[in-house]
Amino acid sequence: QDIISEMSEVPPQFAEYPRVPQRPRVRIEAIGEAWKLLTQDLGTWALAGFITSVFAVVAFLPLYLVSIIQLVASRTPTLGQMFIFYVLIFGAMIALYIAQGLGYAGMYRMALKKLRGEPIAMKDYFAWDSSMITHAVASLIIALGVVFGSILCYLPGFIVGGLLMLTQPIIVARKCGVGEAVGTSWNLLKGDLWMATGLYFLTSLVAGLGAIACGIGMIFTLPLLPLTFAIVYRDFSQGEYSSNGPTAPYDVMAR
């Protein structure tokens, strides 16, 4: 009777099937993990960072120079000239955000491939397809959200950036549209709002430190951003990156 009673007791680790996967968390340690991955293929990542920086400069510089020239040409700018100046500056920033988004798309492809344990090369960076338009639009939405949010005492900008940091890795992994990627990223991370905000701030800070050395260091630190955010995506997509094969991934959209 005692044996039967003991066997009928529910063990402390028992969970009825189907077991619901535990909700992943945003980890600050992702930055350190990203740095280790970066150093394993430093030359490849540095080249990707350099090309992304060139994309950004080439996209931004023409309209920026035109805006400065037209303003300097007049010693006393009129209201109309000042309006044109700001329109051109805004256009230059739009071009910059789109170019960065295209560069990041290549680095996200490399990062997710690296996290699957596969070797990476620059051909992965240039594996462009129809999703590049989606990346360009997504990057523009994120950048504008961060910029306009930053106008409100900065913090809202970091919150928007944190909640949307999985948008581009989701586009790479799931081949989905902008709306679905933005919504999925927001829903996945809103439960970790402050950790996501903090990680976005720290990663952006570290990635931007390379600008101190005359901008050259950017080619080494810039890839940290897509690598870190790809690691966060991996943590929230256990089924795609489980070492034991496919499992039931946590999907907030199904909850």
Side-chain angles (χ1 to χ4, degrees):
Q1 184 68 29
D2 292 338
I3 295 176
I4 294 175
S5 177
E6 289 178 6
M7 292 180 63
S8 64
E9 293 180 1
V10 178
Q13 74 276 17
F14 175 79
E16 294 184 359
Y17 286 94
R19 296 179 181 177
V20 178
Q22 294 296 311
R23 188 185 191 285
R25 312 296 297 179
V26 175
R27 301 176 299 111
I28 299 297
E29 294 82 1
I31 299 176
E33 186 177 345
W35 178 256
K36 291 180 181 179
L37 293 176
L38 175 67
T39 55
Q40 290 175 9
D41 300 279
L42 188 58
T44 303
W45 284 114
L47 182 56
F50 173 74
I51 295 174
T52 300
S53 300
V54 170
F55 282 167
V57 171
V58 170
F60 174 78
L61 209 53
L63 283 177
Y64 175 75
L65 291 177
V66 170
S67 68
I68 296 297
I69 291 172
Q70 73 90 27
L71 190 63
V72 172
S74 176
R75 296 182 179 179
T76 56
T78 64
L79 185 61
Q81 289 172 324
M82 290 300 299
F83 176 76
I84 293 174
F85 169 77
Y86 286 114
V87 168
L88 289 173
I89 288 293
F90 185 71
M93 295 302 295
I94 294 295
L96 170 66
Y97 298 145
I98 291 175
Q100 281 185 333
L102 296 177
Y104 281 142
M107 288 195 283
Y108 278 120
R109 277 194 297 270
M110 294 168 61
L112 291 177
K113 187 175 181 180
K114 180 71 176 179
L115 290 173
R116 289 193 296 267
E118 302 174 22
I120 59 172
M122 286 307 299
K123 65 179 181 180
D124 302 311
Y125 181 91
F126 289 108
W128 290 5
D129 53 27
S130 58
S131 69
M132 298 307 287
I133 298 176
T134 307
H135 281 287
V137 175
S139 176
L140 184 58
I141 291 173
I142 296 169
L144 292 178
V146 171
V147 168
F148 288 120
S150 298
I151 294 174
L152 304 174
C153 299
Y154 292 102
L155 180 58
F158 291 118
I159 291 176
V160 171
L163 291 177
L164 299 185
M165 66 179 167
L166 300 186
T167 301
Q168 284 196 262
I170 287 172
I171 293 172
V172 171
R174 302 188 182 184
K175 306 297 183 184
C176 60
V178 176
E180 181 181 344
V182 168
T184 302
S185 178
W186 187 282
N187 287 319
L188 282 172
L189 298 177
K190 65 183 180 182
D192 268 357
L193 186 148
W194 296 116
M195 286 297 292
T197 300
L199 180 65
Y200 179 83
F201 171 75
L202 289 175
T203 307
S204 301
L205 181 64
V206 173
L209 287 177
I212 296 176
C214 300
I216 303 227
M218 284 287 289
I219 66 175
F220 298 100
T221 58
L222 192 64
L224 272 175
L225 192 144
L227 266 169
T228 301
F229 296 168
I231 288 170
V232 176
Y233 176 75
R234 178 207 59 195
D235 291 348
F236 279 81
S237 305
Q238 302 145 341
E240 297 177 42
Y241 298 94
S242 171
S243 60
N244 297 320
T247 60
Y250 178 82
D251 190 349
V252 73
M253 302 301 286
R255 300 289 178 263

